[in-house]
Coordinates of all heavy atoms in Angstrom, one line a residue:
R297 N 114.8 121.0 101.1 CA 114.8 121.1 99.6 C 114.9 122.6 99.3 O 114.6 123.5 100.2 CB 113.5 120.7 99.1 CG 112.2 121.2 99.7 CD 111.0 120.5 99.3 NE 109.7 121.3 99.6 CZ 108.6 120.9 99.3 NH1 108.3 119.9 98.7 NH2 107.5 121.6 99.7
T298 N 115.5 122.9 98.2 CA 115.8 124.2 97.9 C 114.6 125.1 97.3 O 113.7 124.4 96.8 CB 117.0 124.3 96.8 OG1 116.4 123.7 95.5 CG2 118.1 123.5 97.3
K299 N 114.7 126.4 97.4 CA 113.6 127.3 96.9 C 113.5 127.0 95.4 O 112.5 127.1 94.8 CB 114.0 128.7 97.2 CG 112.9 129.7 96.8 CD 113.2 131.1 97.1 CE 112.2 132.1 96.6 NZ 112.6 133.5 97.0
Q300 N 114.7 126.8 94.8 CA 114.7 126.7 93.3 C 114.0 125.4 92.9 O 113.3 125.4 91.8 CB 116.2 126.7 92.9 CG 117.0 127.9 93.0 CD 117.4 128.3 94.4 OE1 117.4 127.4 95.2 NE2 117.7 129.6 94.6
E301 N 114.2 124.3 93.6 CA 113.5 123.1 93.2 C 112.0 123.3 93.4 O 111.2 122.9 92.6 CB 113.9 122.0 94.3 CG 113.1 120.6 94.1 CD 113.5 119.6 95.2 OE1 114.7 119.4 95.4 OE2 112.5 119.2 95.8
V302 N 111.5 123.9 94.5 CA 110.1 124.1 94.6 C 109.4 125.0 93.5 O 108.4 124.7 92.9 CB 109.8 124.8 96.0 CG1 108.3 125.0 96.2 CG2 110.2 123.8 97.1
E303 N 110.2 126.0 93.2 CA 109.8 126.9 92.1 C 109.7 126.2 90.7 O 108.9 126.4 89.9 CB 110.7 128.2 91.9 CG 110.5 129.2 93.2 CD 109.1 129.7 93.4 OE1 108.5 130.0 92.3 OE2 108.6 129.6 94.6
A304 N 110.7 125.4 90.5 CA 110.7 124.6 89.3 C 109.5 123.6 89.2 O 108.9 123.5 88.2 CB 112.1 123.8 89.1
E305 N 109.1 123.1 90.3 CA 108.0 122.1 90.3 C 106.7 122.8 90.2 O 105.7 122.4 89.7 CB 108.1 121.3 91.6 CG 109.2 120.4 91.8 CD 109.2 119.2 90.8 OE1 108.1 118.9 90.3 OE2 110.3 118.6 90.5
R306 N 106.7 124.1 90.7 CA 105.4 124.9 90.6 C 105.1 125.1 89.1 O 103.9 125.4 88.8 CB 105.5 126.1 91.4 CG 105.4 126.0 92.9 CD 105.3 127.3 93.6 NE 105.1 127.3 95.0 CZ 103.9 127.2 95.6 NH1 102.8 127.3 94.8 NH2 103.8 127.1 96.8
K307 N 106.0 125.1 88.3 CA 105.6 125.2 86.8 C 104.8 124.2 86.3 O 104.2 124.2 85.2 CB 107.0 125.4 86.0 CG 107.8 126.5 86.4 CD 109.1 126.5 85.6 CE 109.9 127.8 86.1 NZ 111.3 127.8 85.3
G308 N 104.7 123.0 87.0 CA 103.9 121.9 86.6 C 102.5 121.9 87.3 O 102.0 120.8 87.4
D309 N 102.2 122.9 88.0 CA 101.0 123.1 88.7 C 99.7 122.5 87.9 O 99.5 122.9 86.8 CB 100.7 124.5 89.1 CG 99.6 124.7 90.0 OD1 98.6 123.9 90.1 OD2 99.6 125.6 91.1
P310 N 99.1 121.5 88.4 CA 98.0 120.8 87.6 C 96.8 121.7 87.4 O 96.0 121.5 86.4 CB 97.6 119.7 88.5 CG 97.9 120.0 90.0 CD 99.2 120.9 89.8
I311 N 96.5 122.8 88.2 CA 95.3 123.6 87.9 C 95.5 124.5 86.8 O 94.6 124.5 85.9 CB 95.0 124.4 89.1 CG1 94.8 123.4 90.3 CG2 93.8 125.3 89.0 CD1 94.5 124.1 91.7
P312 N 96.5 125.4 86.6 CA 96.7 126.1 85.3 C 96.9 125.2 84.2 O 96.7 125.6 83.1 CB 97.8 127.0 85.7 CG 98.5 126.5 86.8 CD 97.6 125.7 87.7
K313 N 97.5 124.0 84.4 CA 97.7 123.0 83.3 C 96.4 122.7 82.7 O 96.3 122.7 81.4 CB 98.4 121.9 83.7 CG 98.8 120.8 82.6 CD 99.5 119.6 83.2 CE 100.9 120.0 83.8 NZ 101.7 118.8 84.2
L314 N 95.4 122.3 83.5 CA 94.1 122.1 82.9 C 93.4 123.2 82.2 O 92.8 123.0 81.2 CB 93.2 121.5 84.0 CG 91.8 121.1 83.6 CD1 91.7 120.0 82.5 CD2 90.9 120.7 84.8
R315 N 93.6 124.4 82.9 CA 92.9 125.6 82.3 C 93.6 125.8 80.9 O 92.9 126.1 79.9 CB 93.3 126.8 83.1 CG 92.7 128.1 82.7 CD 92.7 129.2 83.7 NE 92.3 130.5 83.3 CZ 91.9 131.5 84.0 NH1 92.1 131.4 85.4 NH2 91.6 132.7 83.4
A316 N 94.9 125.7 80.8 CA 95.5 126.0 79.4 C 95.1 124.9 78.4 O 94.9 125.2 77.2 CB 97.1 125.9 79.7
Y317 N 94.9 123.7 78.9 CA 94.4 122.5 78.0 C 93.0 123.0 77.4 O 92.8 122.9 76.2 CB 94.2 121.3 78.7 CG 93.6 120.1 77.8 CD1 94.4 119.4 77.1 CD2 92.3 119.9 77.9 CE1 93.8 118.3 76.3 CE2 91.7 118.9 77.2 CZ 92.5 118.2 76.4 OH 91.9 117.2 75.7
M318 N 92.1 123.5 78.3 CA 90.8 123.8 77.8 C 90.8 125.0 76.9 O 90.1 125.0 75.9 CB 89.9 124.1 79.0 CG 89.6 122.8 79.9 SD 88.2 123.2 81.1 CE 86.8 123.4 80.2
Q319 N 91.6 125.9 77.2 CA 91.7 127.2 76.4 C 92.3 126.8 75.0 O 91.9 127.4 74.0 CB 92.5 128.3 77.1 CG 91.7 128.8 78.2 CD 92.5 129.9 79.0 OE1 93.7 129.9 79.1 NE2 91.8 131.0 79.4
K320 N 93.2 125.9 74.9 CA 93.9 125.5 73.8 C 92.9 124.9 72.8 O 92.9 125.0 71.6 CB 94.9 124.5 74.0 CG 95.7 123.9 72.8 CD 96.8 122.9 73.2 CE 97.4 122.3 72.0 NZ 98.4 121.3 72.3
H321 N 91.9 124.2 73.4 CA 90.9 123.5 72.6 C 89.6 124.3 72.5 O 88.6 123.8 72.0 CB 90.5 122.1 73.2 CG 91.6 121.1 73.1 ND1 92.6 121.0 73.9 CD2 91.8 120.2 72.1 CE1 93.5 120.1 73.6 NE2 93.0 119.5 72.5
G322 N 89.7 125.7 72.9 CA 88.5 126.5 72.7 C 87.4 126.1 73.5 O 86.2 126.3 73.0
M323 N 87.5 125.6 74.7 CA 86.3 125.1 75.5 C 85.9 126.0 76.5 O 84.7 125.8 77.0 CB 86.8 123.8 76.1 CG 87.2 122.7 75.1 SD 87.7 121.2 75.9 CE 86.2 120.4 76.4
A324 N 86.6 127.0 76.9 CA 86.2 128.0 77.8 C 87.0 129.3 77.8 O 88.3 129.2 77.6 CB 86.2 127.4 79.3
E325 N 86.3 130.5 78.0 CA 87.0 131.7 78.0 C 87.5 132.0 79.4 O 87.1 131.4 80.4 CB 86.1 132.8 77.6 CG 85.5 132.6 76.2 CD 86.6 132.7 75.1 OE1 87.6 133.6 75.3 OE2 86.4 132.2 74.0
D326 N 88.3 133.1 79.6 CA 88.7 133.4 80.9 C 87.7 133.7 81.9 O 87.8 133.4 83.0 CB 89.7 134.7 80.8 CG 91.0 134.4 80.1 OD1 91.4 133.3 80.3 OD2 91.7 135.3 79.7
S327 N 86.6 134.3 81.4 CA 85.5 134.6 82.2 C 84.8 133.5 82.9 O 84.3 133.5 84.0 CB 84.4 135.4 81.5 OG 83.9 134.6 80.3
V328 N 84.8 132.3 82.2 CA 84.3 131.1 82.7 C 85.1 130.7 84.0 O 84.5 130.3 85.1 CB 84.2 129.9 81.7 CG1 83.8 128.7 82.4 CG2 83.3 130.3 80.5
F329 N 86.4 130.7 83.9 CA 87.3 130.3 84.9 C 87.1 131.3 86.1 O 87.2 130.9 87.3 CB 88.7 130.1 84.5 CG 88.9 129.0 83.5 CD1 89.1 129.3 82.1 CD2 88.8 127.7 83.9 CE1 89.2 128.4 81.2 CE2 89.0 126.8 82.9 CZ 89.2 127.0 81.6
E330 N 87.2 132.6 85.8 CA 87.0 133.6 86.8 C 85.7 133.4 87.7 O 85.7 133.7 88.8 CB 87.0 134.9 86.2 CG 88.5 135.2 85.5 CD 88.5 136.5 84.7 OE1 87.4 137.1 84.5 OE2 89.6 136.8 84.2
T331 N 84.6 133.1 86.9 CA 83.4 132.9 87.6 C 83.4 131.7 88.6 O 83.0 131.7 89.8 CB 82.2 132.6 86.6 OG1 82.0 133.7 85.8 CG2 80.9 132.3 87.4
I332 N 84.1 130.6 88.1 CA 84.3 129.4 88.9 C 85.1 129.8 90.2 O 84.8 129.4 91.3 CB 84.9 128.3 88.2 CG1 84.0 127.7 87.2 CG2 85.4 127.2 89.1 CD1 84.5 126.7 86.2
E333 N 86.2 130.5 90.0 CA 87.1 130.8 91.0 C 86.4 131.7 92.1 O 86.6 131.6 93.3 CB 88.3 131.5 90.5 CG 89.2 130.6 89.7 CD 90.3 131.3 88.8 OE1 90.4 132.4 88.9 OE2 90.9 130.5 88.1
E334 N 85.6 132.7 91.7 CA 84.9 133.5 92.7 C 83.8 132.6 93.5 O 83.6 132.9 94.6 CB 84.1 134.7 91.8 CG 85.1 135.7 91.3 CD 86.0 136.3 92.4 OE1 85.5 136.6 93.5 OE2 87.2 136.4 92.1
E335 N 83.2 131.8 92.8 CA 82.1 130.9 93.4 C 82.9 130.1 94.5 O 82.3 129.9 95.6 CB 81.4 130.1 92.5 CG 80.4 130.7 91.5 CD 79.8 130.0 90.4 OE1 80.3 128.8 90.2 OE2 79.0 130.5 89.7
V336 N 84.0 129.5 94.1 CA 84.8 128.6 95.0 C 85.3 129.4 96.3 O 85.1 129.0 97.4 CB 85.9 127.9 94.4 CG1 86.9 127.3 95.3 CG2 85.3 126.9 93.3
K337 N 85.7 130.6 96.0 CA 86.3 131.4 97.1 C 85.2 131.8 98.1 O 85.4 131.8 99.4 CB 86.9 132.7 96.6 CG 88.3 132.6 95.8 CD 88.7 133.9 95.3 CE 90.1 133.7 94.4 NZ 90.5 135.0 93.8
A338 N 83.9 132.0 97.5 CA 82.8 132.4 98.4 C 82.4 131.2 99.2 O 82.0 131.2 100.4 CB 81.6 132.8 97.5
L339 N 82.5 129.9 98.5 CA 82.1 128.7 99.2 C 83.1 128.4 100.3 O 82.7 127.9 101.5 CB 82.2 127.5 98.2 CG 82.0 126.1 98.8 CD1 80.6 125.9 99.3 CD2 82.2 125.0 97.6
V340 N 84.4 128.6 100.1 CA 85.4 128.3 101.2 C 85.2 129.4 102.3 O 85.4 129.0 103.4 CB 86.8 128.4 100.6 CG1 87.9 128.3 101.7 CG2 87.0 127.2 99.5
D341 N 85.0 130.7 102.0 CA 84.8 131.7 103.0 C 83.6 131.2 103.8 O 83.8 131.4 105.2 CB 84.4 133.0 102.3 CG 85.7 133.7 101.8 OD1 86.8 133.2 102.1 OD2 85.5 134.6 100.9
Q342 N 82.5 130.7 103.3 CA 81.4 130.3 104.0 C 81.7 129.0 104.9 O 81.3 128.9 106.0 CB 80.3 130.0 103.1 CG 79.0 129.5 103.8 CD 78.4 130.5 104.8 OE1 78.5 131.8 104.5 NE2 77.9 130.0 105.9
A343 N 82.5 128.2 104.3 CA 83.0 126.9 105.2 C 83.7 127.4 106.4 O 83.5 126.9 107.4 CB 83.8 126.1 104.2
V344 N 84.7 128.3 106.3 CA 85.4 128.9 107.4 C 84.5 129.5 108.4 O 84.6 129.3 109.7 CB 86.6 129.8 106.9 CG1 87.2 130.5 108.1 CG2 87.6 129.1 105.9
K345 N 83.6 130.4 108.0 CA 82.6 131.0 108.8 C 81.8 130.0 109.5 O 81.6 130.1 110.7 CB 81.8 131.9 107.9 CG 80.8 132.8 108.8 CD 80.1 133.8 107.9 CE 79.2 134.7 108.7 NZ 78.1 134.0 109.3

Side-chain angles (χ1 to χ4, degrees):
R297 57 188 190 180
T298 66
K299 180 179 179 181
Q300 291 76 16
E301 176 185 306
V302 177
E303 290 304 314
E305 293 294 338
R306 281 185 177 275
K307 295 178 181 178
D309 192 322
I311 298 176
K313 183 182 292 186
L314 178 59
R315 179 170 178 165
Y317 173 90
M318 293 188 69
Q319 291 181 320
K320 177 182 177 181
H321 290 85
M323 303 178 76
E325 302 292 333
D326 285 339
S327 59
V328 174
F329 296 105
E330 290 166 2
T331 298
I332 290 175
E333 291 167 6
E334 290 303 315
E335 292 173 351
V336 167
K337 288 176 183 177
L339 174 64
V340 175
D341 285 345
Q342 181 57 38
V344 174
K345 183 174 185 293

